[in-house]
C-alpha cells in the first residue's frame, strides 16, 4: 500500500472472539497506520483498560487507547455490554467505541448508537470502512 | 516453454476462482482479503485461511458432538458456535458456508433436531468442498510463483 505512517499512530483496541476476525482487523488497521492490540473478549478488554479493579503493572499512559472496535456477538459479555461499561466509566467514557456486527439489525444499531457508540459497522469489514 | 507454463497456471488460477465465484462458494470479500496482502505480508491470505480451517474444524466437530452425543442437544451452545462460524465465514468470503450456517442457526433456534442434522451434513460437505478447492488454488499460486521466478 505504501502509506507513510506518521509518528502519531492511533492505538486501537480490537475486541473479537474470532481469531480469524482478529487477524484481519489487525491487518486492516496496520495498513491504515494504527497500532493495534487485539483481545478475545470483553472481559480481557476491560482488564487491558484497567477497569476491572486489578492494577496493571504498566502505566496508563503507555496503554493509552484512542479507539475501541468491538464485535457485537460475543459469548460472556456482548459488545453492547462492553460499550455500556466503557461509557459508564469516568476514566474511559471519552474513548470512541465502534461496534461491528455481521448482522444488519436496525434495533441493534439504534441501541448501540443510543448508548454512545461512535459508529456501527456491518461485517465483513473492508479497508474502505477503516 | 516456461513462459507458457506461467500463463497456463495463471489461467488455471483465474479459471478456478471464476468457478468458485460463479458457484457462490466465494464472494467479493475474498478479493478484499487479497488487497491486504503485499510485500510486507506476502502470505497473509494463506495465513488467514489456515486459521479459518483450524477454527472451523473445531467448531464442526463440536457441533456434531452436541447434536449426536447424548439425548438432549444444547442448542444454546450450538448457537454460540454458529455465530462464530457465521462471522469468520463472512470475513473470509465463504458465502455458501455462511448461508448454510444461518439455516442451521434457525433450525437450532426452533430446537429442530432433524433440521439441524441436515444442516450439519450440508455444512460439512460445503466445508470439505471449500477446503479442497482453496488448497488447489493455493497450490497453483505457489507453482505460478515458482515458475515465474525460474523464468526470471
Amino acid at each position: 500500500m505504501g502509506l507513510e505512517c506518521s509518528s502519531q499512530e492511533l492505538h486501537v483496541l480490537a475486541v473479537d472472539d474470532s481469531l480469524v476476525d482478529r487477524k484481519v482487523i489487525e491487518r486492516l488497521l496496520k495498513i491504515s497506520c494504527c497500532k493495534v492490540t487485539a483481545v478475545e473478549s470483553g472481559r480481557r478488554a476491560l482488564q487491558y483498560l484497567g477497569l476491572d479493579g486489578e492494577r496493571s503493572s504498566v502505566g496508563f499512559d503507555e496503554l493509552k487507547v484512542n479507539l475501541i472496535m468491538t464485535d457485537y456477538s460475543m459469548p460472556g459479555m456482548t459488545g453492547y455490554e462492553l460499550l455500556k461499561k466503557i461509557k459508564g466509566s469516568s476514566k474511559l467514557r471519552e474513548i470512541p467505541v465502534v461496534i461491528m456486527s455481521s448482522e444488519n439489525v436496525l434495533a441493534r444499531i439504534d441501541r448501540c448508537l443510543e448508548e454512545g457508540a461512535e459508529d456501527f459497522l456491518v461485517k465483513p469489514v473492508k479497508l474502505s470502512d477503516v | 516453454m516456461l513462459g507458457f507454463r506461467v500463463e497456463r497456471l495463471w489461467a488455471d488460477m483465474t479459471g478456478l476462482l471464476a468457478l468458485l465465484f460463479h458457484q457462490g462458494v466465494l464472494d467479493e470479500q475474498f478479493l478484499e482479503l487479497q488487497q491486504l496482502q503485499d510485500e510486507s505480508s506476502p502470505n497473509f491470505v494463506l495465513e488467514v485461511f489456515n486459521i479459518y480451517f483450524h477454527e472451523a474444524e473445531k467448531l464442526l466437530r463440536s457441533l456434531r458432538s452436541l447434536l449426536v452425543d447424548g439425548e438432549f442437544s444444547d442448542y444454546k451452545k450450538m448457537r454460540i458456535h454458529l455465530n462464530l462460524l457465521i462471522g469468520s465465514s463472512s470475513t473470509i468470503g465463504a458465502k455458501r458456508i455462511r448461508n448454510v450456517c444461518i439455516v442451521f442457526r434457525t433450525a437450532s433456534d426452533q430446537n429442530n433436531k432433524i433440521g439441524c442434522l441436515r444442516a450439519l451434513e450440508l455444512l460439512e460437505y460445503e466445508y470439505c468442498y471449500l477446503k479442497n478447492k482453496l488448497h488447489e488454488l493455493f497450490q497453483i499460486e505457489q507453482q505460478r510463483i515458482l515458475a515465474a521466478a525460474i523464468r526470471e
Side-chain angles (χ1 to χ4, degrees):
Chain A
M1 278 252 144
L3 274 169
E4 292 247 331
C5 293
S6 72
S7 54
Q8 298 282 341
E9 282 188 341
L10 277 185
H11 182 194
V12 182
L13 178 65
V15 190
D16 202 312
D17 57 334
S18 159
L19 182 53
V20 170
D21 291 3
R22 283 202 300 280
K23 186 161 171 85
V24 172
I25 287 166
E26 211 170 2
R27 180 84 188 128
L28 275 170
L29 290 169
K30 282 198 174 135
I31 286 183
S32 312
C33 291
C34 297
K35 177 163 148 45
V36 189
T37 302
V39 297
E40 71 207 8
S41 68
R43 201 174 64 86
R44 284 250 189 275
L46 292 176
Q47 270 177 352
Y48 187 82
L49 295 163
L51 199 59
D52 67 341
E54 287 175 30
R55 295 201 171 281
S56 72
S57 55
V58 188
F60 185 61
D61 277 351
E62 220 197 288
L63 297 172
K64 189 158 198 293
V65 167
N66 306 116
L67 172 68
I68 297 167
M69 289 183 72
T70 176
D71 189 25
Y72 183 94
S73 307
M74 296 185 291
M77 187 189 302
T78 65
Y80 177 69
E81 287 159 358
L82 176 61
L83 168 68
K84 280 208 293 194
K85 287 214 152 67
I86 290 168
K87 292 302 169 186
S89 146
S90 51
K91 195 162 70 146
L92 302 171
R93 72 159 63 102
E94 292 306 311
I95 306 178
V97 180
V98 170
I99 310 273
M100 305 175 283
S101 171
S102 42
E103 271 143 301
N104 208 347
V105 178
L106 200 56
R108 182 183 285 190
I109 299 175
D110 284 342
R111 207 155 39 120
C112 289
L113 293 175
E114 262 168 46
E115 199 60 44
E118 188 75 19
D119 204 350
F120 189 101
L121 293 175
V122 179
K123 281 179 166 183
V125 180
K126 304 180 188 3
L127 201 53
S128 49
D129 293 327
V130 174
Chain B
M1 184 128 111
L2 274 173
F4 175 72
R5 181 156 173 71
V6 173
E7 263 70 62
R8 174 65 193 274
L9 286 168
W10 181 257
D12 286 346
M13 202 171 80
T14 48
L16 181 52
L17 257 179
L19 177 68
L20 293 173
F21 272 87
H22 182 73
Q23 290 175 327
V25 171
L26 290 177
D27 65 23
E28 66 277 0
Q29 181 63 13
F30 181 79
L31 298 176
E32 287 283 336
L33 281 191
Q34 304 283 350
Q35 308 261 14
L36 301 180
Q37 182 161 290
D38 61 19
E39 310 81 50
S40 69
S41 199
N43 296 310
F44 178 72
V45 179
L46 185 60
E47 285 163 13
V48 172
F49 271 91
N50 281 333
I51 296 173
Y52 175 76
F53 291 142
H54 187 76
E55 198 176 74
E57 274 162 41
K58 265 201 314 198
L59 289 170
L60 285 173
R61 272 198 298 270
S62 189
L63 283 165
R64 179 157 275 280
S65 166
L66 285 168
L67 263 178
V68 165
D69 299 340
E71 220 181 292
F72 300 104
S73 299
D74 189 345
Y75 291 105
K76 199 166 163 217
K77 209 167 182 185
M78 262 185 250
R79 187 172 228 278
I80 291 175
H81 287 340
L82 287 168
N83 278 337
L84 193 54
L85 197 49
I86 287 169
S88 41
S89 300
S90 90
T91 294
I92 62 157
K95 188 163 87 165
R96 273 205 327 219
I97 289 181
R98 177 177 189 258
N99 290 341
V100 176
C101 285
I102 290 175
V103 171
F104 194 155
R105 190 175 59 181
T106 304
S108 84
D109 285 344
Q110 296 161 352
N111 291 8
N112 176 358
K113 189 157 184 170
I114 306 260
C116 285
L117 277 165
R118 281 210 197 107
L120 177 64
E121 281 184 11
L122 187 54
L123 190 54
E124 284 165 345
Y125 170 81
E126 289 294 341
Y127 174 76
C128 282
Y129 185 75
L130 178 73
K131 190 172 179 185
N132 286 339
K133 288 301 167 195
L134 283 175
H135 272 155
E136 214 180 297
L137 195 68
F138 289 129
Q139 259 185 346
I140 300 172
E141 170 70 3
Q142 286 308 308
Q143 283 171 24
R144 188 188 66 84
I145 290 172
L146 202 60
I150 291 172
R151 184 169 67 168
E152 271 144 43

